[in-house]
């Protein structure tokens, strides 16, 4: 099996439908229309629980893969430029926790395939201390086992603990930054999304941004700045004032890029302050039914892959 990395889900899904790929790992949000139409066939969910958006699709755990290391999740997390005052971070996190309890938000997000989390920055710290050695080892091996169609797109390790990479500023006490100005927020906030409109990260960002604006009584403008696996947006946000008016939705490629490429232009650990993990996004394993007509579950997919050696 050969790994091919893409700049986004849209071109990957189109090549899967067109027959250039046999299978891929993707979000349910983007693949469900093609699964429903029969253009793609889903064979499993990589999380531990079934998804409401695809309730009949079994998990890989149900299909015999019980090792937690293979429980693959995408995710959406909110961050801010390093040095944002703790008072602002705490206020944002408090609002996000309340947003996650909103029945209408739950209905929209769960229906789109997301799993609300709203984990605290402190939780990031614990994950960071536990899992960073694992990620350093994996990234050190990337050149030995990865084939990347697009060299600018970073490899994607497959455990939700990658969120911990954003937590390192906490190890230093989250020091620095001016005190929050009186009456924050007193003007519009920007929520930068490092991917195109319509994708999973954008969808989650707009749901959260709308509710966050209502609670803060200020407009939250969602600004899409795609490119270079999120690095373009990350560089811009990292250089923004640490005043709480510029936020960013972070995802796995954006956090890992500086650990994989010397010219990413930013340092994940030093340049961002974590606010909260917003959602988990279980991944769906999908295949081209024309190319793999006999693949109906994980067992038959593995058998097919072994037969190709």
């Amino acid at each position: 099996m050969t790994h091919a990395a893409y700049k986004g889900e849209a071109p990957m899904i189109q090549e899967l439908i067109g027959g250039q790929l046999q299978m891929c790992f993707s979000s349910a949000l983007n693949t469900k229309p093609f699964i429903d139409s029969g253009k793609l066939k889903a064979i499993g969910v990589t999380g531990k629980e079934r998804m409401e958006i695809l309730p009949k699709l079994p998990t890989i755990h149900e299909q015999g893969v019980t090792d937690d290391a293979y429980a693959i999740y995408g995710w959406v997390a909110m961050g801010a430029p390093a040095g944002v005052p703790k008072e602002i971070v705490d206020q944002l996190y408090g609002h996000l926790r309340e947003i996650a309890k909103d029945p209408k938000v739950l209905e929209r997000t769960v229906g789109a395939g997301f799993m609300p989390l709203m984990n605290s920055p402190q939780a990031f710290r614990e994950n960071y201390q536990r899992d960073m050695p694992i990620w350093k080892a994996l990234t050190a091996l990337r050149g030995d086992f990865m084939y990347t169609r697009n060299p600018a797109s970073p490899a994607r390790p497959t455990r939700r603990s990658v969120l911990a990479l954003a937590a390192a500023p906490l190890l230093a006490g989250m020091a620095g930054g001016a005190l929050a100005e009186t009456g924050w927020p007193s003007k519009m906030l920007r929520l930068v999304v490092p991917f195109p409109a319509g994708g999973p990260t954008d969808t989650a960002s707009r749901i959260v941004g709308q509710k966050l604006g209502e609670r803060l009584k200020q407009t939250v403008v969602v600004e899409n700045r795609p490119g270079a696996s999120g690095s373009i947006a990350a560089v811009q946000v990292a250089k923004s004032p640490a005043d709480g008016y510029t936020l960013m939705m972070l995802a796995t490629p954006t956090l890992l890029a500086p650990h994989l490429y010397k010219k990413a232009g930013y340092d994940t650990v030093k340049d961002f302050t974590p606010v909260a993990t917003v959602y988990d996004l279980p991944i769906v394993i999908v295949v081209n039914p024309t190319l793999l007509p006999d693949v109906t579950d994980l067992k038959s997919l593995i058998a097919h892959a072994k037969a190709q050696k």
Side-chain angles (χ1 to χ4, degrees):
M1 185 177 293
T2 300
H3 176 271
Y6 285 80
K7 288 185 176 181
E9 284 189 292
M12 177 181 67
I13 292 172
Q14 289 303 316
E15 291 204 359
L16 179 63
I17 294 172
Q20 286 77 36
L21 295 175
Q22 293 179 308
M23 64 157 290
C24 76
F25 294 82
S26 188
S27 68
L29 181 66
N30 283 341
T31 53
K32 187 177 186 301
F34 303 107
I35 294 170
D36 291 343
S37 67
K39 293 182 178 179
L40 296 177
K41 178 167 53 179
I43 63 171
V45 178
T46 60
K48 292 183 178 181
E49 300 176 357
R50 293 196 182 196
M51 305 172 68
E52 289 195 20
I53 192 173
L54 294 168
K56 296 182 179 180
L57 185 63
T59 67
I60 62 171
H61 189 276
E62 292 176 276
Q63 298 184 59
V65 181
T66 57
D67 188 336
D68 287 351
Y70 294 96
I72 306 171
Y73 292 83
W75 50 267
V76 179
M78 183 178 288
V84 170
K86 186 177 184 299
E87 294 89 343
I88 292 179
V89 173
D90 290 345
Q91 189 172 339
L92 286 168
Y93 174 56
H95 285 305
L96 291 174
R97 289 187 63 186
E98 293 303 313
I99 289 171
K101 300 175 185 177
D102 188 319
K104 292 183 179 180
V105 171
L106 286 172
E107 181 180 0
R108 292 176 64 189
T109 54
V110 173
F114 297 102
M115 297 172 61
L117 288 177
M118 303 306 177
N119 287 343
S120 70
Q122 182 63 31
F124 287 153
R125 177 180 182 177
E126 295 170 0
N127 289 339
Y128 172 85
Q129 291 174 321
R130 182 190 65 213
D131 291 333
M132 179 57 81
I134 297 173
W135 288 112
K136 285 185 177 180
L138 287 175
T139 54
L141 290 171
R142 71 188 187 279
D144 296 330
F145 70 89
M146 286 290 188
Y147 164 76
T148 303
R149 175 176 297 186
N150 168 25
S153 183
R156 293 170 172 80
T158 57
R159 286 184 62 191
R160 72 175 73 185
S161 55
V162 70
L163 290 171
L165 290 174
L170 292 170
L171 300 178
M174 292 182 67
L179 291 176
E181 65 181 80
T182 303
W184 179 93
S186 60
K187 61 182 181 180
M188 177 190 76
L189 284 76
R190 295 167 58 230
L191 179 56
V192 179
V193 177
F195 303 106
T201 305
D202 177 71
T203 299
S205 300
R206 293 183 185 279
I207 294 172
V208 171
Q210 177 186 348
K211 290 297 181 179
L212 184 60
E214 292 174 4
R215 295 186 63 85
L216 293 174
K217 295 181 171 53
Q218 290 290 345
T219 300
V220 176
V221 176
V222 175
E223 180 181 317
N224 297 90
R225 291 191 63 83
S229 298
S231 295
I232 293 175
V235 170
Q236 181 194 58
V237 172
K239 295 179 179 179
S240 297
D243 55 9
Y245 290 100
T246 300
L247 306 171
M248 181 175 175
M249 285 300 197
L250 301 165
T252 310
T254 312
L255 291 178
L256 282 179
H259 298 269
L260 299 173
Y261 301 99
K262 295 180 180 179
K263 297 182 179 180
Y266 63 97
D267 187 305
T268 303
V269 170
K270 297 179 180 179
D271 293 338
F272 291 94
T273 295
V275 176
T277 314
V278 183
Y279 298 109
D280 259 354
L281 181 64
I283 304 300
V284 179
I285 305 173
V286 288
V287 302
N288 181 306
T290 301
L291 297 179
L292 301 178
D294 297 327
V295 172
T296 57
D297 55 19
L298 188 60
K299 182 178 180 180
S300 56
L301 175 64
I302 294 172
H304 174 82
K306 289 182 176 180
Q308 305 308 305
K309 292 183 178 180

